[in-house]
């Protein structure tokens, strides 16, 4: 007789969703340092361990630099590891980000994005995540608690197949501390989906290897180029993992998501939850007002899904990219905008694209703001940067 | 010597076997190489003394150079010489010339 498994749905914050996914994949070692808005992930994981629901070693460290260093060490021995951080914590661990990717360790880290100091802001934006974009990590940016749960599971499969560390980012507070219904997978199923794969090299006294040697000019460039190749491979692998996950658990997202893009003339390109939700609502309103509006959400941020983004924007007359981070002194201050502009330039695509910086330090992004962007795109398709919602 | 390509190196810059430093050469970043002119060398030992890498080798033997006979000769181990030029700078008889490396 077939045993009918009932679906388990829980009301979870995105932080808790991340913790549930970490429990489902059965990690061995967790090291984290409390920092807002990440802290509740580790609270939940500690609870799981205390209740005997998760058999993992939790390392109490004295900083985020140590947290990432500890999981680097643990991962080097072949353990499945997890860590999480935000904002200054991610900055403090920045040095180790490069070490983790250089060592090609399949570390998974959750990052509810938060604004950077100074001045201190505990509120959400993506300045921290964007500062980590060139560190050789795979970076996902999820838009719902459900997606956070699904993506953390996918992240382990991807990380362990291409041997790269993976970051799963989402909106600080707007997602990390707000609840949504999340459908949880059967844990046995998850573990069979993400089996522990043998790694080519681990620290093992019976088979000694050296990790972290010095590389003279004869060697360093080749090893860095290896990472370039690994990220290119990760681009294909990420799509494959998403497809496999969809077949097994019934939910998939693609690397880039589109909303009402089939016949859209004007598009807003976003990342993260709040921006995507509001942009979709604004697109619906714009459609009612006769503007053929659509939304494109970039889910995989590194490696950058150039093909998918170009394809999504193929039919539009003009578009705007809403960035929730500032790259000071850049030709255009938004990081996603810069990536898309580069992708278009390389592929000989030329169309008006506006960069809208918004939601910095959790400045509210209203549906009305997004609607105004659509209206502006139709009236006056142009290039350049707009700082929306700031008093100037 | 041809070095392995990017795709041939172990993943993650791992050195997969212990003790490999015994046969690793460490002179890959040298752009100039010191060449000793044995005719001009007066065996003062200063280059040997000053070389920060210890890559100048003192060879014992009977060496006839011009009209003289020496019981020692200085040679450079190019597997480890970094090309810093200190030896050439210190040599009192300007017996050491720094010559460009060709790739
Ligand atoms: S160039 Fe420098 S390393 Fe080479 S032999 Fe002279 S002193 Fe030693
Ligand atoms: S310093 Fe010059 S002269 Fe003295 S031993 Fe070396 S090469 Fe010969």
């Amino acid at each position: 007789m077939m045993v009918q498994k009932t679906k388990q749905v829980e009301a979870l914050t995105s932080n808790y969703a991340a913790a549930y996914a970490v429990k489902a994949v059965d990690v061995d070692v967790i090291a984290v340092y409390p920092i807002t808005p990440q802290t509740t992930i580790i609270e939940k994981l500690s609870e799981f361990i205390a209740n005997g629901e998760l058999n993992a070693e939790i390392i109490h460290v004295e900083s985020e630099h140590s947290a990432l260093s500890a999981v680097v060490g643990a991962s080097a021995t072949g353990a499945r590891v997890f860590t999480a951080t935000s904002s200054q914590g991610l900055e403090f661990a920045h040095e180790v980000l490069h070490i983790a990717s250089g060592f090609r360790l399949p570390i998974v880290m959750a990052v509810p994005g938060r604004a950077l100091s100074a001045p201190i802001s505990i509120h959400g934006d993506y300045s921290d995540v964007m500062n980590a974009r060139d560190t050789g990590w795979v970076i996902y940016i999820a838009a719902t608690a459900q997606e956070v749960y699904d993506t953390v599971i996918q992240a382990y499969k991807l990380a362990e197949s291409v041997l790269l560390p993976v970051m799963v980012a989402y909106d600080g507070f707007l997602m990390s501390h707000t609840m949504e219904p999340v459908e949880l997978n059967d844990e046995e199923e998850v573990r069979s989906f993400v089996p522990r794969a043998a790694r080519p090299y681990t620290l093992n006294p019976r088979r000694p290897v050296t990790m972290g040697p010095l590389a003279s000019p004869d060697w360093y460039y080749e090893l860095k180029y290896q990472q370039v190749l690994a990220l290119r491979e990760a681009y294909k692998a990420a799509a494959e993992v998403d497809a496999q996950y969809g077949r097994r658990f019934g939910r998939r997202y693609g690397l880039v998501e589109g909303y009402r893009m089939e016949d859209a003339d004007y598009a807003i390109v976003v990342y993260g939850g709040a921006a995507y939700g509001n942009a979709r609502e604004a697109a619906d309103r714009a459609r009612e007002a006769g503007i053929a509006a659509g939304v494109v959400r970039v889910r995989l941020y590194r490696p950058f899904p150039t093909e998918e983004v170009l394809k999504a924007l193929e039919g539009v007359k003009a578009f705007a990219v809403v960035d929730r981070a500032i790259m000071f002194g850049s030709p255009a201050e938004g990081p996603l905008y810069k990536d898309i502009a580069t992708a278009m330039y390389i592929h000989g695509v030329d169309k008006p694209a506006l960069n809208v910086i918004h939601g910095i330090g959790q400045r509210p992004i209203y549906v009305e703001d997004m609607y105004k962007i659509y209206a502006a795109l139709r009236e006056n398709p142009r290039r350049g940067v707009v700082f929306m919602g700031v008093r100037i | 010597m041809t070095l392995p390509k990017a795709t041939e190196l172990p993943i993650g810059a791992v050195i997969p076997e212990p003790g490999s430093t015994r046969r690793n050469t460490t002179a890959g970043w040298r752009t100039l190489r010191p060449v000793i002119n044995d005719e001009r060398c007066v065996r003062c030992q200063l280059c040997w003394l000053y070389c920060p890498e210890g890559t100048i080798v003192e060879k014992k033997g009977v060496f006839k150079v011009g009209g003289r006979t020496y019981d020692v000769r200085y040679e450079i181990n190019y597997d480890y010489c970094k090309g810093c030029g200190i030896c050439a700078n210190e040599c009192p008889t300007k017996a050491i010339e720094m010559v460009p490396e060709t790739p």
Side-chain angles (χ1 to χ4, degrees):
Chain A
M1 194 186 87
M2 268 271 287
V3 182
Q4 199 66 43
K5 280 184 189 132
T6 47
K7 279 186 182 169
Q8 193 192 347
V9 180
E10 298 269 351
L12 298 178
T13 64
S14 286
N15 275 357
Y16 279 11
Y20 270 93
V22 169
K23 174 160 84 86
V25 298
D26 189 24
V27 303
D28 306 312
V29 177
I30 299 167
V32 276
Y33 188 77
I35 185 165
T36 301
Q38 167 277 133
T39 312
T40 57
I41 305 176
I42 190 60
E43 287 173 2
K44 195 71 191 166
L45 285 169
S46 303
E47 202 178 300
F48 288 144
I49 293 170
N51 292 345
E53 293 174 75
L54 171 63
N55 180 18
E57 198 67 46
I58 215 162
I59 309 178
H60 297 283
V61 286
E62 71 288 342
S63 76
E64 291 84 354
H65 188 281
S66 308
L68 193 52
S69 300
V71 295
V72 160
S75 182
T77 68
R80 183 172 277 180
V81 303
F82 176 75
T83 187
T85 190
S86 288
S87 189
Q88 302 305 121
L90 184 57
E91 297 306 306
F92 193 20
H94 191 95
E95 163 189 29
V96 192
L97 293 177
H98 285 274
I99 294 171
S101 60
F103 278 7
R104 305 284 302 276
L105 298 172
I107 294 165
V108 174
M109 173 158 73
V111 181
R114 171 186 144 185
L116 294 174
S117 295
I120 297 172
S121 163
I122 60 158
H123 288 91
D125 70 25
Y126 281 87
S127 312
D128 48 359
V129 176
M130 290 305 173
N131 268 10
R133 71 183 182 272
D134 302 331
T135 55
W137 282 58
V138 172
I139 302 177
Y140 285 102
I141 303 178
T144 61
Q146 180 71 62
E147 190 189 337
V148 170
Y149 176 81
D150 296 328
T151 307
V152 168
I153 297 169
Q154 290 188 12
Y156 278 97
K157 197 167 179 73
L158 178 65
E160 289 171 17
S161 75
V162 295
L163 295 174
L164 281 175
V166 180
M167 203 179 290
V168 180
Y170 44 93
D171 294 20
F173 285 112
L174 297 174
M175 290 172 66
S176 68
H177 285 63
T178 57
M179 283 197 183
E180 294 172 74
V182 177
E183 194 180 309
L184 301 175
N185 300 329
D186 176 69
E187 293 197 344
E188 289 306 315
E189 278 278 303
V190 172
R191 285 166 203 183
S192 83
F193 180 73
V194 195
R196 278 178 165 69
R199 303 243 297 268
Y201 307 109
T202 51
L203 292 178
N204 174 354
R206 279 185 289 276
R207 220 184 119 218
V209 299
T210 301
M211 288 193 183
L214 176 137
S216 69
D218 281 353
W219 304 95
Y220 186 83
Y221 192 7
E222 277 70 24
L223 292 162
K224 288 289 131 181
Y225 187 70
Q226 254 189 7
Q227 284 178 250
V228 172
L229 297 178
L231 274 144
R232 287 185 184 168
E233 196 188 324
Y235 182 16
K236 285 180 227 124
E240 181 53 35
V241 167
D242 187 56
Q244 286 172 6
Y245 189 88
R247 284 196 290 276
R248 183 77 78 96
F249 300 107
R251 290 179 302 275
R252 59 177 296 186
Y253 303 88
L255 307 181
V256 167
E257 236 186 350
Y259 179 72
R260 305 192 80 161
M261 281 305 295
E262 303 74 35
D263 59 342
D265 289 333
Y266 304 100
I268 293 183
V269 189
V270 294
Y271 47 86
Y276 190 41
N278 286 0
R280 275 184 304 180
E281 178 63 29
D284 289 344
R285 291 191 199 170
R287 289 262 174 183
E288 280 164 27
I291 306 174
V295 191
V296 174
R297 178 176 73 94
V298 175
R299 173 179 179 244
L300 182 73
Y301 185 61
R302 282 289 181 272
F304 193 71
T306 301
E307 267 168 57
E308 282 82 353
V309 170
L310 292 185
K311 205 166 171 298
L313 294 171
E314 219 168 27
V316 304
K317 293 185 183 136
F319 65 94
V321 180
V322 176
D323 265 299
R324 293 191 60 202
I326 305 176
M327 291 193 305
F328 300 100
S330 202
E333 278 86 348
L336 179 62
Y337 179 83
K338 189 176 165 184
D339 282 321
I340 295 176
T342 307
M344 291 199 154
Y345 179 78
I346 290 173
H347 289 84
V349 182
D350 184 17
K351 56 178 79 182
L354 192 65
N355 189 191
V356 179
I357 311 284
H358 203 350
I360 300 302
Q362 216 170 308
R363 175 61 45 89
I365 303 176
Y366 298 107
V367 174
E368 186 57 26
D369 296 340
M370 296 291 203
Y371 180 83
K372 277 184 197 150
I373 298 172
Y374 284 121
L377 282 178
R378 185 172 64 173
E379 244 148 68
N380 176 23
R382 65 182 185 92
R383 295 151 212 260
V385 192
V386 170
F387 288 82
M388 203 171 199
V390 71
R391 294 181 297 276
I392 35 174
Chain B
M1 185 176 60
T2 44
L3 296 171
K5 292 178 182 167
T7 48
E8 293 163 354
L9 289 170
I11 285 176
V14 159
I15 298 172
E17 54 165 305
S20 63
T21 44
R22 274 178 306 205
R23 56 176 170 70
N24 266 0
T25 60
T26 56
W29 68 58
R30 189 177 58 222
T31 53
L32 295 174
R33 64 161 60 204
V35 176
I36 300 178
N37 179 348
D38 209 27
E39 304 271 318
R40 298 184 71 154
C41 173
V42 295
R43 274 67 177 168
C44 70
Q45 211 186 33
L46 279 176
C47 57
W48 179 88
L49 200 65
Y50 273 103
C51 173
E53 291 292 274
T55 58
I56 300 186
V57 192
E58 203 173 55
K59 271 215 171 150
K60 304 274 189 232
V62 181
F63 304 101
K64 286 198 191 317
V65 184
R68 295 161 181 264
T69 306
Y70 295 109
D71 58 357
V72 68
R73 184 165 76 186
Y74 293 93
E75 286 178 7
I76 287 156
N77 184 342
Y78 292 112
D79 283 348
Y80 302 101
C81 163
K82 305 295 184 294
C84 68
I86 289 175
C87 53
N89 188 60
E90 296 300 332
C91 175
T93 65
K94 298 284 162 247
I96 304 179
E97 193 193 350
M98 299 302 292
V99 178
E101 282 287 347
T102 43

